Amino acid sequence: MNEIIKEIEQEQLKAEIQDFAVGDTVKVYGKIKEGNRERVQVFEGTVLKRQGGSNRETFTVRKISNGVGVEKTWPLHSPNVEKIEVVRKGKVRRAKLNYLRDRVGKKAKVKELVR
């Protein structure tokens, strides 16, 4: 039974995924369905966490919109996520950046990784 589930999950995986990590600033191109129309909306923010594995993997992106923090959790292999574009790499020492929720302004920034 376990092998059957693994085969089904393998079919649902996306072929190519942009390589990104926690702390990176990304643009997520998500498909939005309004009635019978479908359009692509961009959500740009900092990746707070990545969790799960295989086709169940999700990532959470946070941005500040009109002074209010907005977080959105996206399934990585979802057909509603058209593409993920890395704007800049972040330098962090944690797997989950939950402490950013309490910070405002310059304190809420993540240092850029310079290579």
Side-chain angles (χ1 to χ4, degrees), residues 28-44:
V28 182
Y29 293 82
K31 292 181 185 174
I32 305 292
K33 197 166 191 179
E34 296 173 333
N36 57 357
R37 295 187 325 127
E38 195 173 271
R39 64 184 178 88
V40 176
Q41 185 173 357
V42 181
F43 190 89
E44 182 177 349

Side-chain angles (χ1 to χ4, degrees), residues 13-71:
L13 295 177
K14 283 187 178 177
E16 292 182 19
I17 295 174
Q18 175 74 30
D19 187 37
F20 67 96
V22 174
D24 294 353
T25 302
V26 295
K27 285 184 182 179
V28 182
Y29 293 82
K31 292 181 185 174
I32 305 292
K33 197 166 191 179
E34 296 173 333
N36 57 357
R37 295 187 325 127
E38 195 173 271
R39 64 184 178 88
V40 176
Q41 185 173 357
V42 181
F43 190 89
E44 182 177 349
T46 306
V47 178
L48 289 187
K49 61 183 174 179
R50 279 182 80 162
Q51 62 186 22
S54 183
N55 68 332
R56 297 184 200 96
E57 187 172 355
T58 61
F59 62 100
T60 302
V61 181
R62 178 181 175 86
K63 74 174 183 177
I64 305 296
S65 178
N66 296 325
V68 179
V70 179
E71 287 183 21

Side-chain angles (χ1 to χ4, degrees), residues 67-86:
V68 179
V70 179
E71 287 183 21
K72 210 164 190 181
T73 302
W74 302 85
L76 188 60
H77 296 282
S78 170
N80 290 335
V81 176
E82 196 169 275
K83 70 176 180 175
I84 302 164
E85 186 180 302
V86 177

Side-chain angles (χ1 to χ4, degrees), residues 64-110:
I64 305 296
S65 178
N66 296 325
V68 179
V70 179
E71 287 183 21
K72 210 164 190 181
T73 302
W74 302 85
L76 188 60
H77 296 282
S78 170
N80 290 335
V81 176
E82 196 169 275
K83 70 176 180 175
I84 302 164
E85 186 180 302
V86 177
V87 177
R88 54 181 227 151
K89 291 280 193 183
K91 181 182 176 189
V92 293
R93 296 166 60 178
R94 308 240 179 284
K96 294 192 169 60
L97 305 179
N98 294 325
Y99 65 90
L100 287 180
R101 293 177 176 147
D102 301 330
R103 306 217 173 155
V104 181
K106 286 187 178 180
K107 293 180 189 174
K109 284 189 178 180
V110 174

